[in-house]
Amino acid sequence: MVKGRLEETPALPLKVLVTRAAGPLAYSLLDRIANGEVFGNQQPVFLVLMDFPSMLAVLTGVAMELQDCAFVLLQGVTVTDRAEVAFMDVDVAILLGATPRAKDMEWDDQFKCNVRIFRSQGKALDTYAKKTVKVLVVGSPANTNCLIAMTSAPSIPPENFSCLTRLSQNRAQSRLALTLGVGAGTVRNVIVWGAPSGTQLPDIEHASVTCDSRPAGLHQALRGADRLAFQQQRETAVWTGCTMSVASAICDHLRALWSGTPEGELVSMGVISNGNTYGVPEQLIYSFPVTVKDGSWQIVAGLRVSEVCRLRMAQSAQQLLEERKSALRALARSNL
């Protein structure tokens, strides 16, 4: 494990907040942030771990374990259950906590719980966080939870909010690599459109695989039965993940935001849809192919999109429009 190294004149530490930090997902993530894997091996970090009051003892143990790792880049750890402490002057907020849907729970009840959570966190960001804060929402349904947090933090630019769809990209690229018998790192530019649900669509139209050190389109690389098999698997490319893969996707997402994307490489992020060229309604958090430079993402415009893909994109947009309507209605109620 790389513990990081510092120059003689190190950068100021980034203050990184992780909510629901006593859970297994955070446990798979925190050491990767602390060791320089996410923000670079020259960037010190200060971690803020937030969870419910009942989890403070667990959080204290996690903090001590992080300290025992002696990460060179880790400048300190704060454990708290209070928003005014957790969100104060943070540079990065990773929002893991959301209400999962229990076996006998109605969708509307889950939705109302998540509106409360992300409205509260959005207000805390608006009140206490730096206006330059980068916010990543992971808790499902991530697109609409991100929209709620963004709407509740009007003083922070909407483009500072994003939600995690990189896990679906990683899974689709891994599936392609298995189909082709190559390493997952040789597959690039699989696009995930929409929301992480049944309407989400991994799109291989612009993807490529490096064969004999030369990039080739996947339509050239996939032939016959293999290509047909992958097309059938596209319908089930998203499944319930474990903490290791989700943590890895979070790291990939944040690394792209912080360090930029290599020339010619696209990544999938859930971002505000304003100004897109694909007919997706504005004011939605929707997964698009983006490039990142100097800390700012940009939706890649003008890509060729098949009719089948456009249909699924429209279905996903319609689902998110309905969720947005419900969320805005819930936010307007004074009893939430």
Side-chain angles (χ1 to χ4, degrees):
M1 180 180 293
V2 177
K3 292 189 176 182
R5 63 180 186 271
L6 290 176
E7 296 174 336
E8 293 183 4
T9 307
L12 293 174
L14 286 176
K15 195 172 186 182
V16 181
L17 165 65
V18 179
T19 67
R20 198 64 64 85
L25 175 54
Y27 193 80
S28 294
L29 174 67
L30 290 170
D31 68 313
R32 300 179 71 167
I33 296 174
N35 71 13
E37 184 177 336
V38 177
F39 300 109
N41 62 11
Q42 302 295 328
Q43 177 59 64
V45 294
F46 188 103
L47 287 171
V48 183
L49 313 182
M50 183 184 184
D51 214 312
F52 297 116
S54 61
M55 303 305 294
L56 287 181
V58 175
L59 280 185
T60 300
V62 172
M64 288 190 291
E65 188 169 1
L66 284 165
Q67 291 158 354
D68 289 346
C69 289
F71 293 118
V72 174
L73 294 166
L74 183 59
Q75 301 296 293
V77 184
T78 292
V79 169
T80 187
D81 62 338
R82 296 164 54 199
E84 63 269 26
V85 175
F87 288 86
M88 181 62 69
D89 293 331
V90 294
D91 297 290
V92 183
I94 307 169
L95 308 184
L96 304 183
T99 299
R101 188 166 182 184
K103 183 178 179 181
D104 298 322
M105 190 181 214
E106 295 292 334
W107 180 87
D108 192 53
D109 293 332
Q110 179 200 25
F111 188 78
K112 288 178 180 177
C113 287
N114 283 324
V115 168
R116 291 188 184 96
I117 291 169
F118 288 94
R119 182 192 189 196
S120 173
Q121 293 183 349
K123 286 187 170 183
L125 286 163
D126 199 53
T127 303
Y128 302 113
K130 293 180 180 177
K131 301 312 175 187
T132 55
V133 64
K134 301 293 187 182
V135 183
L136 171 59
V137 176
V138 179
S140 180
N143 295 61
T144 298
N145 289 341
C146 185
L147 180 71
I148 293 166
M150 182 193 76
T151 303
S152 302
S155 69
I156 297 173
E159 59 267 24
N160 288 20
F161 289 80
S162 59
C163 77
L164 187 72
T165 60
R166 182 61 180 267
L167 177 60
S168 297
Q169 176 184 331
N170 287 353
R171 284 171 170 162
Q173 290 183 175
S174 174
R175 175 61 61 184
L176 273 170
L178 288 171
T179 299
L180 295 168
V182 298
T186 66
V187 180
R188 304 169 66 196
N189 294 351
V190 172
I191 298 169
V192 174
W193 303 94
S197 68
T199 58
Q200 185 185 67
L201 179 64
D203 182 1
I204 67 169
E205 189 71 22
H206 303 279
S208 66
V209 59
T210 301
C211 299
D212 300 323
S213 301
R214 294 174 299 173
L218 284 177
H219 289 289
Q220 296 172 299
L222 287 171
R223 294 182 176 88
D226 285 342
R227 179 174 173 181
L228 177 61
F230 180 76
Q231 294 291 341
Q232 293 167 341
Q233 289 160 359
R234 290 172 72 183
E235 297 298 319
T236 56
V238 180
W239 60 86
T240 302
C242 62
T243 57
M244 187 185 303
S245 60
V246 179
S248 183
I250 292 171
C251 292
D252 291 340
H253 181 112
L254 290 172
R255 193 183 304 110
L257 274 180
W258 229 256
S259 301
T261 49
E263 185 71 26
E265 185 167 330
L266 317 175
V267 295
S268 300
M269 291 185 183
V271 296
I272 190 73
S273 60
N274 297 357
N276 77 89
T277 61
Y278 300 101
V280 176
E282 299 209 338
Q283 295 298 318
L284 292 178
I285 300 294
Y286 192 95
S287 185
F288 291 99
V290 305
T291 57
V292 186
K293 184 177 181 181
D294 298 328
S296 297
W297 54 263
Q298 182 173 1
I299 297 172
V300 179
L303 293 176
R304 181 181 64 254
V305 180
S306 70
E307 289 301 315
V308 171
C309 187
R310 285 195 180 276
L311 176 61
R312 294 290 293 275
M313 288 171 65
Q315 291 171 343
S316 196
Q318 183 59 41
Q319 173 194 331
L320 291 173
L321 282 169
E322 292 170 2
E323 289 185 12
R324 183 184 71 182
K325 182 179 179 180
S326 298
L328 294 178
R329 185 167 57 243
L331 287 171
R333 296 173 184 166
S334 60
N335 63 335
L336 285 176

